[in-house]
Amino acid sequence: MKNILLNIFALWALCSIIGCSDFLEEKSDSRLATPVTLEDNQALMDRTFNTVLSNSISGQISADEIYITDADYGNLIYEFEKRLYTWQPNEVSSSDENDWGSCYRRINVCNTVLYNIEHYQIAGAENLKGQALALRAAIYLEAAQIYCLVYNESTANTDLGLPLRLDPDINIPSKRSSLKETYSQIISDLKEAAMLLPNTQIALIRPSKATTLGYLSRTYLFMGDYQNALEYGKQTLSINDNLIDFNTLNPSDSYPIKSMNTEILLHSSMVYSQFLSSSMAKIPQSLYNIYDNNDLRKSIYFRFNTAQQILFKGNYSGGATRMTSLATDEVYLNVAESYARLNDMQLAMQTLNELLKTRWKTGTYIPMTANSQSETLNIILKERRKELLFRGLRWSDLKRYNRDGAGISLQRTVNGTTYILPPNDLRYAIAIPEDIIKMTGMPQNPR
């Protein structure tokens, strides 16, 4: 009551000074609430938590790169993380607690900036428009890996895609597109962005032309279009082909790979997750064992806790933050794999060796060779798994490998119960939160 009386007194005092009618009739300046300038809208894009620093965690939890102990499983706060880990068919959490809400909140920022540029006829906004288009495409690609089945050209016209919201108006009903329409929108946004953006930006939180080309390479790789994955990968590396020489890193550092390093094309990270924390998420011994002792990634990426469990410290953040950054090492692997898929083994291995020689102790690396397409692919895909660990890509890779006949089955045991995810299971398209289904009437992912 005391606070209410103080507020009333303050309002009375203000009215007595300036005249109450004048004060109440004063119109607010809409420019204070609506971003109408180039600087305002760039500030929206640069607010990193709403753009590049809250990427999805569902794929990382669901894939086979990490595990948690039964004790840690019991201590998880969010039920939806437990359900992701055990591949439950339904997602019951609120969209505010998981990746669906995060994806569409970030997409809405991009849509708002794109609307403002056009509606307020903001001059000199080509770079900004390119950033918004590129980031919107990247987020839609991210969401498609979680909530859609793997892209298959023969079924993409009928497979369920995402609601393609291209306008910030929240009153427009959400309807699911086809998977083909979803990927077509992603590609269209990226290609338009590439024509608007400079090769590089003043900050790595802003998408550049190199970023958009790298995302095009990733998109086409996920689709199984290896000719385009190769072409856009090569274009990316023509702008930035830098690699870190791991011999220059200190494996004794808590986090040896520094933030904003020379390989990063777009700085981004996963939203914080208790499940993925630096002490809870463990690396399987079988995965650790595939690294050669002269492979510097073995000491740069991993550390042991007091229980001799293996933890990951190879984040591209310089700290505990789990990175999803698009980087040149991924692009080298995209190019190498695409060459192999197109039956050019020589260039495939040459590209892979360019990457790997920066990862091994000086003087110990012997360039790899292969005698067949299958051997070449096996080597490249093994190195892809080793290089891109904890970057949020393994879930997508599992989906596309199984589409192409790899037959990879996932299995984990929690509190004595064994859970299995067979190849090409419908649960590879994670369920959309129930509140979204009820609110929109959109079809749920089939089970």
Side-chain angles (χ1 to χ4, degrees):
M1 184 68 181
K2 181 179 179 181
N3 288 337
I4 294 174
L5 290 173
L6 286 173
N7 289 337
I8 292 173
F9 177 78
L11 180 61
W12 173 82
L14 184 61
C15 287
S16 67
I17 295 171
I18 66 174
C20 220
S21 61
D22 292 340
F23 172 71
L24 295 176
E25 291 172 6
E26 184 70 23
K27 297 185 183 298
S28 64
D29 187 343
S30 63
R31 290 175 298 177
L32 297 177
T34 305
V36 298
T37 68
L38 183 64
E39 293 76 13
D40 290 339
N41 285 278
Q42 184 66 71
L44 279 178
M45 291 299 296
D46 288 344
R47 194 166 184 263
T48 53
F49 181 76
N50 285 332
T51 51
V52 295
L53 299 188
S54 53
N55 286 15
S56 302
I57 60 173
S58 294
Q60 189 66 55
I61 293 174
S62 300
D64 61 349
E65 291 183 331
I66 56 174
Y67 73 95
I68 61 173
T69 65
D70 287 350
D72 285 337
Y73 182 86
N75 290 328
L76 286 172
I77 296 172
Y78 291 115
E79 179 67 21
F80 83 91
E81 292 186 333
K82 294 182 178 181
R83 298 179 69 81
L84 287 169
Y85 186 60
T86 54
W87 309 304
Q88 297 302 303
N90 298 312
E91 173 61 80
V92 296
S93 68
S94 162
S95 60
D96 291 336
E97 295 175 348
N98 59 35
D99 292 332
W100 183 274
S102 171
C103 284
Y104 278 94
R105 181 186 71 247
R106 289 180 287 139
I107 286 168
N108 193 60
V109 172
C110 299
N111 286 339
T112 298
V113 169
L114 291 168
Y115 172 85
N116 289 343
I117 290 171
E118 182 176 355
H119 184 74
Y120 298 107
Q121 299 182 355
I122 299 175
E126 293 79 10
N127 187 332
L128 178 61
K129 182 178 180 180
Q131 294 174 47
L133 287 168
L135 191 58
R136 182 172 73 180
I139 299 167
Y140 271 126
L141 182 63
E142 174 190 333
Q145 307 317 300
I146 299 169
Y147 297 108
C148 301
L149 294 172
V150 66
Y151 189 91
N152 190 321
E153 186 62 36
S154 64
T155 60
N157 275 317
T158 54
D159 287 339
L160 288 170
L162 298 169
L164 293 174
R165 301 195 65 87
L166 309 178
D167 189 293
D169 185 354
I170 62 174
N171 296 308
I172 298 173
S174 289
K175 297 180 181 180
R176 295 191 73 169
S177 65
S178 71
L179 192 57
K180 191 174 189 67
E181 289 169 332
T182 295
Y183 274 81
S184 293
Q185 184 65 51
I186 292 166
I187 291 169
S188 174
D189 279 356
L190 289 173
K191 287 184 175 180
E192 184 177 358
M195 294 187 291
L196 297 169
L197 291 168
N199 284 355
T200 58
Q201 296 276 21
I202 61 170
L204 290 173
I205 61 168
R206 295 181 181 179
S208 64
K209 183 173 183 177
T211 304
T212 64
L213 297 173
Y215 272 117
L216 279 165
S217 179
R218 179 190 287 185
T219 302
Y220 281 118
L221 190 79
F222 288 171
M223 295 171 69
D225 183 343
Y226 302 112
Q227 189 62 59
N228 275 311
L230 173 62
E231 179 57 35
Y232 285 105
K234 289 165 61 179
Q235 288 185 39
T236 308
L237 296 179
S238 72
I239 297 173
N240 181 357
D241 63 356
N242 295 328
L243 290 169
I244 301 168
D245 182 351
F246 275 31
N247 288 279
T248 66
L249 303 179
N250 183 1
S252 299
D253 287 349
S254 297
Y255 296 97
I257 303 175
K258 304 311 177 188
S259 179
M260 305 296 182
N261 63 69
T262 189
E263 291 186 10
I264 293 177
L265 300 171
L266 180 68
H267 176 84
S268 64
S269 66
M270 299 177 199
V271 70
Y272 174 77
S273 163
Q274 178 194 13
F275 189 108
L276 301 178
S277 64
S278 57
S279 60
M280 186 174 287
K282 315 294 193 304
I283 302 297
Q285 183 74 46
S286 58
L287 181 52
Y288 175 80
N289 288 343
I290 67 176
Y291 293 82
D292 188 276
N293 287 335
N294 287 321
D295 186 338
L296 290 168
R297 291 172 296 188
K298 197 166 189 174
S299 56
I300 297 295
Y301 279 6
F302 306 111
R303 67 180 177 89
F304 289 83
N305 63 14
T306 55
Q308 292 303 294
Q309 296 162 327
I310 306 164
L311 305 176
F312 185 76
K313 64 172 184 175
N315 304 307
Y316 269 46
S317 61
T321 302
R322 303 306 195 182
M323 302 305 292
T324 55
S325 297
L326 178 69
T328 56
D329 60 340
E330 178 192 343
V331 181
Y332 272 90
L333 289 160
N334 292 352
V335 170
E337 182 181 342
S338 297
Y339 272 131
R341 300 279 187 185
L342 297 170
N343 212 28
D344 191 334
M345 280 79 76
Q346 181 179 352
L347 285 177
M349 296 308 295
Q350 179 179 315
T351 305
L352 180 66
N353 286 322
E354 283 295 312
L355 169 66
L356 293 184
K357 70 183 182 182
T358 67
R359 273 33 183 176
W360 284 54
K361 291 180 183 177
T362 300
T364 66
Y365 183 68
I366 300 173
M368 294 190 183
T369 59
N371 297 316
S372 67
Q373 184 183 39
S374 61
E375 185 183 4
T376 304
L377 278 171
N378 286 339
I379 293 171
I380 291 170
L381 299 188
K382 180 180 178 181
E383 292 301 327
R384 182 178 177 89
R385 187 177 190 194
K386 290 162 64 179
E387 177 68 22
L388 302 179
L389 186 62
F390 233 124
R391 298 267 281 276
L393 294 170
R394 178 63 176 170
W395 186 244
S396 303
D397 284 345
L398 287 167
K399 292 168 76 165
R400 66 189 184 89
Y401 296 162
N402 282 332
R403 173 197 61 200
D404 297 338
I408 302 170
S409 183
L410 304 187
Q411 179 175 314
R412 54 177 54 122
T413 301
V414 180
N415 293 322
T417 300
T418 298
Y419 300 89
I420 297 174
L421 186 66
N424 301 310
D425 193 282
L426 290 173
R427 288 172 291 171
Y428 269 105
I430 293 169
I432 296 171
E434 294 299 325
D435 59 337
I436 295 297
I437 298 300
K438 291 176 182 177
M439 185 190 313
T440 64
M442 293 187 302
Q444 181 60 276
N445 287 327
R447 291 291 180 260

